[in-house]
């Protein structure tokens, strides 16, 4: 398969979707672990130090560029596959199969992906943009904090501020629900496309995918909820 075919053929698009999907799954593991530091309830010290490490380490910053490229490729290839599938099925089945053929979320990956994209734009606006472009203290009027004589961006305070809005909390929870259903199909599908689809691994991957699709989005959703309800201060 040539480089052009990787990005233009159906098999190539699915391969790119699977590869970028697995890398984004790995990113979610790191991201949820970092954000879970807020439950230390130490006024944000552990979280701010972890966020500083992620933002100041050269390897991590290079990986961040790769992450953005992966997200863009995942979105573009996903949209192309969605349009391609719709064009091939311009005339629907005479008898709708419903969930007998596939789960509704498997048939709605384009919609779920679009909702996640909108959620991602909001998330970047709230956190990535202030911390990377100009300094969070200048943009959000939040002063940096100092630990052991070293200054850190107070992303914890930014999180506390953002999640005082009930509307924002609801939007984040809805984004996490969309992510859960997207992963419910995408997790196993990615590994299947990469060739891990024999009887020995199928049940393990499927069970892991279901657990991952429930636990990770749930933990993400509980962060804004915990802050809004005052469980974390």
């Amino acid at each position: 398969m040539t480089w052009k075919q990787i990005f233009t053929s159906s098999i190539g698009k699915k391969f790119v979707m699977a590869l970028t999907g697995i890398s984004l799954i790995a990113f979610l593991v790191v991201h949820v672990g970092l954000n879970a530091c807020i439950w230390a309830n130490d006024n944000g010290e552990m979280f701010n130090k972890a966020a500083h490490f992620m933002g100041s380490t050269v390897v991590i910053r290079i990986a961040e560029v790769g992450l953005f490229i992966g997200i863009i490729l995942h979105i573009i290839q996903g949209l192309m596959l969605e349009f391609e599938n719709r064009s091939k099925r311009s005339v629907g089945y005479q008898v709708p199969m419903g969930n007998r053929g596939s789960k509704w979320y498997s048939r709605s990956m384009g919609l779920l992906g679009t909702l996640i994209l909108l959620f991602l734009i909001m998330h970047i606006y709230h956190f990535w943009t202030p911390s990377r472009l100009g300094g969070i203290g200048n943009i959000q009027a939040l002063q940096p904090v100092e630990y052991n004589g070293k200054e850190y961006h107070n992303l914890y305070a930014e999180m506390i501020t953002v999640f005082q809005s009930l509307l924002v909390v609801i939007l984040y929870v809805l984004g996490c629900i969309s992510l859960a259903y997207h992963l419910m199909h995408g997790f196993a599908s990615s590994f299947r496309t990469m060739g891990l689809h024999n009887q020995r691994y199928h049940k393990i991957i499927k069970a892991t995918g279901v657990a991952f699709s429930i636990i990770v989005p749930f933990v993400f959703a509980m962060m804004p909820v915990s802050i809004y309800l005052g469980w974390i201060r």
Side-chain angles (χ1 to χ4, degrees), residues 180-214:
Y181 281 113
H182 194 74
L183 286 169
M184 197 70 72
H185 172 74
F187 189 101
S189 179
S190 294
F191 285 97
R192 184 168 60 248
T193 300
M194 298 301 290
L196 295 175
H197 188 52
N198 56 41
Q199 291 300 316
R200 180 179 180 182
Y201 299 111
H202 176 67
K203 290 183 178 179
I204 296 175
I205 292 173
K206 187 175 181 179
T208 303
V210 171
F212 188 92
S213 303
I214 294 172

mmCIF file of all heavy atoms in Angstrom, residues 180-214:
data_model
loop_
_atom_site.group_PDB
_atom_site.id
_atom_site.type_symbol
_atom_site.label_atom_id
_atom_site.label_comp_id
_atom_site.label_asym_id
_atom_site.label_seq_id
_atom_site.Cartn_x
_atom_site.Cartn_y
_atom_site.Cartn_z
ATOM 1 N N ALA A 180 -17.862 8.164 26.078
ATOM 2 C CA ALA A 180 -18.075 6.786 26.527
ATOM 3 C C ALA A 180 -18.650 5.925 25.405
ATOM 4 O O ALA A 180 -18.166 4.823 25.136
ATOM 5 C CB ALA A 180 -19.008 6.777 27.739
ATOM 6 N N TYR A 181 -19.682 6.422 24.719
ATOM 7 C CA TYR A 181 -20.292 5.646 23.642
ATOM 8 C C TYR A 181 -19.371 5.543 22.428
ATOM 9 O O TYR A 181 -19.358 4.522 21.734
ATOM 10 C CB TYR A 181 -21.633 6.269 23.251
ATOM 11 C CG TYR A 181 -22.751 5.906 24.202
ATOM 12 C CD1 TYR A 181 -23.354 6.871 25.002
ATOM 13 C CD2 TYR A 181 -23.203 4.594 24.301
ATOM 14 C CE1 TYR A 181 -24.387 6.533 25.883
ATOM 15 C CE2 TYR A 181 -24.223 4.243 25.174
ATOM 16 C CZ TYR A 181 -24.806 5.217 25.961
ATOM 17 O OH TYR A 181 -25.814 4.876 26.830
ATOM 18 N N HIS A 182 -18.605 6.603 22.167
ATOM 19 C CA HIS A 182 -17.639 6.567 21.063
ATOM 20 C C HIS A 182 -16.593 5.484 21.314
ATOM 21 O O HIS A 182 -16.231 4.724 20.410
ATOM 22 C CB HIS A 182 -16.972 7.938 20.938
ATOM 23 C CG HIS A 182 -16.215 8.132 19.656
ATOM 24 N ND1 HIS A 182 -16.833 8.345 18.439
ATOM 25 C CD2 HIS A 182 -14.877 8.141 19.392
ATOM 26 C CE1 HIS A 182 -15.919 8.475 17.494
ATOM 27 N NE2 HIS A 182 -14.727 8.354 18.038
ATOM 28 N N LEU A 183 -16.115 5.402 22.550
ATOM 29 C CA LEU A 183 -15.120 4.397 22.915
ATOM 30 C C LEU A 183 -15.712 2.990 22.926
ATOM 31 O O LEU A 183 -15.015 2.007 22.655
ATOM 32 C CB LEU A 183 -14.541 4.708 24.301
ATOM 33 C CG LEU A 183 -13.562 5.884 24.390
ATOM 34 C CD1 LEU A 183 -13.291 6.236 25.852
ATOM 35 C CD2 LEU A 183 -12.258 5.565 23.676
ATOM 36 N N MET A 184 -17.003 2.886 23.263
ATOM 37 C CA MET A 184 -17.647 1.574 23.360
ATOM 38 C C MET A 184 -17.514 0.799 22.046
ATOM 39 O O MET A 184 -17.360 -0.422 22.038
ATOM 40 C CB MET A 184 -19.125 1.753 23.723
ATOM 41 C CG MET A 184 -19.791 0.495 24.241
ATOM 42 S SD MET A 184 -19.198 -0.009 25.893
ATOM 43 C CE MET A 184 -19.952 1.251 26.929
ATOM 44 N N HIS A 185 -17.568 1.524 20.952
ATOM 45 C CA HIS A 185 -17.347 0.880 19.653
ATOM 46 C C HIS A 185 -15.900 1.021 19.184
ATOM 47 O O HIS A 185 -15.309 0.065 18.686
ATOM 48 C CB HIS A 185 -18.267 1.501 18.594
ATOM 49 C CG HIS A 185 -17.972 1.026 17.203
ATOM 50 N ND1 HIS A 185 -18.313 -0.227 16.746
ATOM 51 C CD2 HIS A 185 -17.317 1.639 16.164
ATOM 52 C CE1 HIS A 185 -17.910 -0.371 15.494
ATOM 53 N NE2 HIS A 185 -17.303 0.746 15.117
ATOM 54 N N GLY A 186 -15.332 2.221 19.376
ATOM 55 C CA GLY A 186 -14.021 2.522 18.805
ATOM 56 C C GLY A 186 -12.870 1.748 19.409
ATOM 57 O O GLY A 186 -11.899 1.432 18.715
ATOM 58 N N PHE A 187 -12.945 1.431 20.710
ATOM 59 C CA PHE A 187 -11.843 0.724 21.374
ATOM 60 C C PHE A 187 -11.595 -0.632 20.716
ATOM 61 O O PHE A 187 -10.499 -0.898 20.209
ATOM 62 C CB PHE A 187 -12.167 0.545 22.862
ATOM 63 C CG PHE A 187 -11.013 0.025 23.685
ATOM 64 C CD1 PHE A 187 -10.268 0.882 24.465
ATOM 65 C CD2 PHE A 187 -10.685 -1.327 23.688
ATOM 66 C CE1 PHE A 187 -9.207 0.409 25.226
ATOM 67 C CE2 PHE A 187 -9.632 -1.810 24.443
ATOM 68 C CZ PHE A 187 -8.880 -0.935 25.221
ATOM 69 N N ALA A 188 -12.595 -1.487 20.718
ATOM 70 C CA ALA A 188 -12.427 -2.828 20.141
ATOM 71 C C ALA A 188 -12.212 -2.752 18.634
ATOM 72 O O ALA A 188 -11.429 -3.526 18.076
ATOM 73 C CB ALA A 188 -13.653 -3.686 20.460
ATOM 74 N N SER A 189 -12.876 -1.804 17.986
ATOM 75 C CA SER A 189 -12.756 -1.664 16.533
ATOM 76 C C SER A 189 -11.326 -1.328 16.126
ATOM 77 O O SER A 189 -10.824 -1.847 15.116
ATOM 78 C CB SER A 189 -13.714 -0.578 16.039
ATOM 79 O OG SER A 189 -13.593 -0.400 14.646
ATOM 80 N N SER A 190 -10.669 -0.466 16.905
ATOM 81 C CA SER A 190 -9.289 -0.077 16.585
ATOM 82 C C SER A 190 -8.353 -1.278 16.629
ATOM 83 O O SER A 190 -7.545 -1.493 15.725
ATOM 84 C CB SER A 190 -8.809 1.000 17.565
ATOM 85 O OG SER A 190 -9.535 2.196 17.399
ATOM 86 N N PHE A 191 -8.466 -2.071 17.686
ATOM 87 C CA PHE A 191 -7.586 -3.234 17.818
ATOM 88 C C PHE A 191 -7.933 -4.297 16.774
ATOM 89 O O PHE A 191 -7.046 -5.004 16.283
ATOM 90 C CB PHE A 191 -7.697 -3.812 19.230
ATOM 91 C CG PHE A 191 -6.984 -2.990 20.267
ATOM 92 C CD1 PHE A 191 -7.676 -2.064 21.036
ATOM 93 C CD2 PHE A 191 -5.614 -3.124 20.462
ATOM 94 C CE1 PHE A 191 -7.029 -1.296 21.986
ATOM 95 C CE2 PHE A 191 -4.948 -2.359 21.408
ATOM 96 C CZ PHE A 191 -5.657 -1.441 22.173
ATOM 97 N N ARG A 192 -9.207 -4.404 16.439
ATOM 98 C CA ARG A 192 -9.611 -5.372 15.408
ATOM 99 C C ARG A 192 -9.013 -4.990 14.060
ATOM 100 O O ARG A 192 -8.528 -5.847 13.311
ATOM 101 C CB ARG A 192 -11.133 -5.430 15.324
ATOM 102 C CG ARG A 192 -11.639 -6.482 14.331
ATOM 103 C CD ARG A 192 -13.138 -6.723 14.469
ATOM 104 N NE ARG A 192 -13.912 -5.516 14.225
ATOM 105 C CZ ARG A 192 -14.600 -4.876 15.166
ATOM 106 N NH1 ARG A 192 -14.579 -5.319 16.418
ATOM 107 N NH2 ARG A 192 -15.295 -3.795 14.873
ATOM 108 N N THR A 193 -9.041 -3.692 13.735
ATOM 109 C CA THR A 193 -8.471 -3.217 12.472
ATOM 110 C C THR A 193 -6.970 -3.474 12.419
ATOM 111 O O THR A 193 -6.415 -3.755 11.342
ATOM 112 C CB THR A 193 -8.744 -1.709 12.294
ATOM 113 O OG1 THR A 193 -10.155 -1.491 12.296
ATOM 114 C CG2 THR A 193 -8.157 -1.189 10.992
ATOM 115 N N MET A 194 -6.319 -3.400 13.577
ATOM 116 C CA MET A 194 -4.873 -3.633 13.635
ATOM 117 C C MET A 194 -4.510 -5.114 13.598
ATOM 118 O O MET A 194 -3.346 -5.479 13.630
ATOM 119 C CB MET A 194 -4.287 -2.985 14.893
ATOM 120 C CG MET A 194 -4.453 -1.470 14.956
ATOM 121 S SD MET A 194 -3.703 -0.586 13.586
ATOM 122 C CE MET A 194 -1.963 -0.819 13.939
ATOM 123 N N GLY A 195 -5.530 -5.978 13.562
ATOM 124 C CA GLY A 195 -5.267 -7.408 13.391
ATOM 125 C C GLY A 195 -5.467 -8.265 14.617
ATOM 126 O O GLY A 195 -5.362 -9.492 14.543
ATOM 127 N N LEU A 196 -5.782 -7.666 15.774
ATOM 128 C CA LEU A 196 -5.975 -8.447 17.003
ATOM 129 C C LEU A 196 -7.442 -8.857 17.106
ATOM 130 O O LEU A 196 -8.229 -8.277 17.862
ATOM 131 C CB LEU A 196 -5.555 -7.624 18.229
ATOM 132 C CG LEU A 196 -4.075 -7.273 18.303
ATOM 133 C CD1 LEU A 196 -3.799 -6.364 19.493
ATOM 134 C CD2 LEU A 196 -3.227 -8.540 18.416
ATOM 135 N N HIS A 197 -7.803 -9.876 16.329
ATOM 136 C CA HIS A 197 -9.217 -10.250 16.281
ATOM 137 C C HIS A 197 -9.404 -11.767 16.288
ATOM 138 O O HIS A 197 -10.368 -12.283 15.761
ATOM 139 C CB HIS A 197 -9.867 -9.654 15.020
ATOM 140 C CG HIS A 197 -11.355 -9.820 14.985
ATOM 141 N ND1 HIS A 197 -12.169 -9.428 16.024
ATOM 142 C CD2 HIS A 197 -12.177 -10.353 14.034
ATOM 143 C CE1 HIS A 197 -13.434 -9.702 15.715
ATOM 144 N NE2 HIS A 197 -13.459 -10.260 14.512
ATOM 145 N N ASN A 198 -8.494 -12.496 16.877
ATOM 146 C CA ASN A 198 -8.727 -13.926 16.969
ATOM 147 C C ASN A 198 -9.448 -14.255 18.284
ATOM 148 O O ASN A 198 -9.632 -13.403 19.140
ATOM 149 C CB ASN A 198 -7.403 -14.712 16.865
ATOM 150 C CG ASN A 198 -6.389 -14.258 17.920
ATOM 151 O OD1 ASN A 198 -6.728 -14.013 19.064
ATOM 152 N ND2 ASN A 198 -5.127 -14.149 17.515
ATOM 153 N N GLN A 199 -9.876 -15.505 18.402
ATOM 154 C CA GLN A 199 -10.670 -15.909 19.561
ATOM 155 C C GLN A 199 -9.907 -15.761 20.885
ATOM 156 O O GLN A 199 -10.499 -15.554 21.931
ATOM 157 C CB GLN A 199 -11.127 -17.363 19.389
ATOM 158 C CG GLN A 199 -12.148 -17.554 18.280
ATOM 159 C CD GLN A 199 -13.411 -16.744 18.518
ATOM 160 O OE1 GLN A 199 -13.938 -16.691 19.623
ATOM 161 N NE2 GLN A 199 -13.897 -16.088 17.468
ATOM 162 N N ARG A 200 -8.597 -15.855 20.801
ATOM 163 C CA ARG A 200 -7.791 -15.785 22.022
ATOM 164 C C ARG A 200 -7.843 -14.396 22.648
ATOM 165 O O ARG A 200 -7.878 -14.258 23.872
ATOM 166 C CB ARG A 200 -6.343 -16.163 21.692
ATOM 167 C CG ARG A 200 -5.411 -16.135 22.894
ATOM 168 C CD ARG A 200 -4.016 -16.553 22.489
ATOM 169 N NE ARG A 200 -3.096 -16.535 23.608
ATOM 170 C CZ ARG A 200 -1.806 -16.819 23.531
ATOM 171 N NH1 ARG A 200 -1.291 -17.174 22.344
ATOM 172 N NH2 ARG A 200 -1.036 -16.788 24.585
ATOM 173 N N TYR A 201 -7.820 -13.356 21.812
ATOM 174 C CA TYR A 201 -7.757 -11.999 22.322
ATOM 175 C C TYR A 201 -9.091 -11.252 22.265
ATOM 176 O O TYR A 201 -9.258 -10.238 22.931
ATOM 177 C CB TYR A 201 -6.716 -11.185 21.539
ATOM 178 C CG TYR A 201 -5.309 -11.722 21.636
ATOM 179 C CD1 TYR A 201 -4.680 -12.290 20.523
ATOM 180 C CD2 TYR A 201 -4.603 -11.679 22.835
ATOM 181 C CE1 TYR A 201 -3.390 -12.788 20.604
ATOM 182 C CE2 TYR A 201 -3.322 -12.174 22.931
ATOM 183 C CZ TYR A 201 -2.714 -12.726 21.811
ATOM 184 O OH TYR A 201 -1.440 -13.222 21.892
ATOM 185 N N HIS A 202 -10.025 -11.727 21.447
ATOM 186 C CA HIS A 202 -11.246 -10.956 21.199
ATOM 187 C C HIS A 202 -12.015 -10.654 22.488
ATOM 188 O O HIS A 202 -12.403 -9.499 22.739
ATOM 189 C CB HIS A 202 -12.143 -11.715 20.225
ATOM 190 C CG HIS A 202 -13.457 -11.041 19.986
ATOM 191 N ND1 HIS A 202 -13.562 -9.824 19.340
ATOM 192 C CD2 HIS A 202 -14.732 -11.412 20.319
ATOM 193 C CE1 HIS A 202 -14.830 -9.461 19.288
ATOM 194 N NE2 HIS A 202 -15.557 -10.406 19.870
ATOM 195 N N LYS A 203 -12.263 -11.680 23.311
ATOM 196 C CA LYS A 203 -13.045 -11.471 24.531
ATOM 197 C C LYS A 203 -12.322 -10.550 25.517
ATOM 198 O O LYS A 203 -12.953 -9.729 26.193
ATOM 199 C CB LYS A 203 -13.346 -12.816 25.188
ATOM 200 C CG LYS A 203 -14.326 -13.670 24.400
ATOM 201 C CD LYS A 203 -14.652 -14.958 25.132
ATOM 202 C CE LYS A 203 -15.677 -15.777 24.343
ATOM 203 N NZ LYS A 203 -15.995 -17.060 25.033
ATOM 204 N N ILE A 204 -10.992 -10.678 25.581
ATOM 205 C CA ILE A 204 -10.212 -9.835 26.496
ATOM 206 C C ILE A 204 -10.288 -8.380 26.055
ATOM 207 O O ILE A 204 -10.517 -7.478 26.872
ATOM 208 C CB ILE A 204 -8.745 -10.308 26.549
ATOM 209 C CG1 ILE A 204 -8.656 -11.719 27.140
ATOM 210 C CG2 ILE A 204 -7.898 -9.331 27.368
ATOM 211 C CD1 ILE A 204 -7.273 -12.306 27.113
ATOM 212 N N ILE A 205 -10.082 -8.153 24.750
ATOM 213 C CA ILE A 205 -10.119 -6.790 24.222
ATOM 214 C C ILE A 205 -11.504 -6.186 24.378
ATOM 215 O O ILE A 205 -11.657 -5.014 24.753
ATOM 216 C CB ILE A 205 -9.676 -6.772 22.745
ATOM 217 C CG1 ILE A 205 -8.188 -7.117 22.646
ATOM 218 C CG2 ILE A 205 -9.936 -5.407 22.116
ATOM 219 C CD1 ILE A 205 -7.693 -7.285 21.235
ATOM 220 N N LYS A 206 -12.536 -6.979 24.095
ATOM 221 C CA LYS A 206 -13.905 -6.482 24.201
ATOM 222 C C LYS A 206 -14.237 -6.103 25.644
ATOM 223 O O LYS A 206 -14.810 -5.030 25.897
ATOM 224 C CB LYS A 206 -14.886 -7.537 23.696
ATOM 225 C CG LYS A 206 -16.319 -7.027 23.629
ATOM 226 C CD LYS A 206 -17.241 -8.071 23.007
ATOM 227 C CE LYS A 206 -18.674 -7.525 22.934
ATOM 228 N NZ LYS A 206 -19.586 -8.521 22.317
ATOM 229 N N ALA A 207 -13.868 -6.967 26.593
ATOM 230 C CA ALA A 207 -14.142 -6.687 28.004
ATOM 231 C C ALA A 207 -13.345 -5.480 28.495
ATOM 232 O O ALA A 207 -13.871 -4.623 29.225
ATOM 233 C CB ALA A 207 -13.804 -7.915 28.849
ATOM 234 N N THR A 208 -12.084 -5.396 28.063
ATOM 235 C CA THR A 208 -11.253 -4.248 28.434
ATOM 236 C C THR A 208 -11.829 -2.963 27.858
ATOM 237 O O THR A 208 -11.857 -1.924 28.528
ATOM 238 C CB THR A 208 -9.814 -4.438 27.919
ATOM 239 O OG1 THR A 208 -9.271 -5.655 28.435
ATOM 240 C CG2 THR A 208 -8.925 -3.280 28.340
ATOM 241 N N GLY A 209 -12.308 -3.050 26.623
ATOM 242 C CA GLY A 209 -12.894 -1.882 25.972
ATOM 243 C C GLY A 209 -14.131 -1.384 26.692
ATOM 244 O O GLY A 209 -14.311 -0.172 26.876
ATOM 245 N N VAL A 210 -14.995 -2.297 27.107
ATOM 246 C CA VAL A 210 -16.207 -1.908 27.831
ATOM 247 C C VAL A 210 -15.845 -1.255 29.164
ATOM 248 O O VAL A 210 -16.394 -0.202 29.528
ATOM 249 C CB VAL A 210 -17.118 -3.134 28.061
ATOM 250 C CG1 VAL A 210 -18.263 -2.778 29.005
ATOM 251 C CG2 VAL A 210 -17.667 -3.647 26.733
ATOM 252 N N ALA A 211 -14.906 -1.881 29.892
ATOM 253 C CA ALA A 211 -14.486 -1.320 31.182
ATOM 254 C C ALA A 211 -13.856 0.056 31.000
ATOM 255 O O ALA A 211 -14.169 1.003 31.744
ATOM 256 C CB ALA A 211 -13.495 -2.270 31.858
ATOM 257 N N PHE A 212 -12.981 0.187 30.017
ATOM 258 C CA PHE A 212 -12.315 1.461 29.737
ATOM 259 C C PHE A 212 -13.340 2.528 29.358
ATOM 260 O O PHE A 212 -13.268 3.670 29.821
ATOM 261 C CB PHE A 212 -11.311 1.272 28.601
ATOM 262 C CG PHE A 212 -10.432 2.463 28.344
ATOM 263 C CD1 PHE A 212 -9.208 2.592 28.971
ATOM 264 C CD2 PHE A 212 -10.831 3.465 27.460
ATOM 265 C CE1 PHE A 212 -8.387 3.688 28.730
ATOM 266 C CE2 PHE A 212 -10.032 4.558 27.209
ATOM 267 C CZ PHE A 212 -8.801 4.676 27.845
ATOM 268 N N SER A 213 -14.316 2.145 28.526
ATOM 269 C CA SER A 213 -15.324 3.083 28.033
ATOM 270 C C SER A 213 -16.232 3.604 29.140
ATOM 271 O O SER A 213 -16.819 4.681 29.015
ATOM 272 C CB SER A 213 -16.181 2.418 26.955
ATOM 273 O OG SER A 213 -15.375 1.942 25.904
ATOM 274 N N ILE A 214 -16.344 2.838 30.211
ATOM 275 C CA ILE A 214 -17.173 3.263 31.344
ATOM 276 C C ILE A 214 -16.349 4.023 32.381
ATOM 277 O O ILE A 214 -16.724 5.122 32.820
ATOM 278 C CB ILE A 214 -17.846 2.041 32.005
ATOM 279 C CG1 ILE A 214 -18.840 1.401 31.035
ATOM 280 C CG2 ILE A 214 -18.549 2.443 33.301
ATOM 281 C CD1 ILE A 214 -19.410 0.080 31.516
#
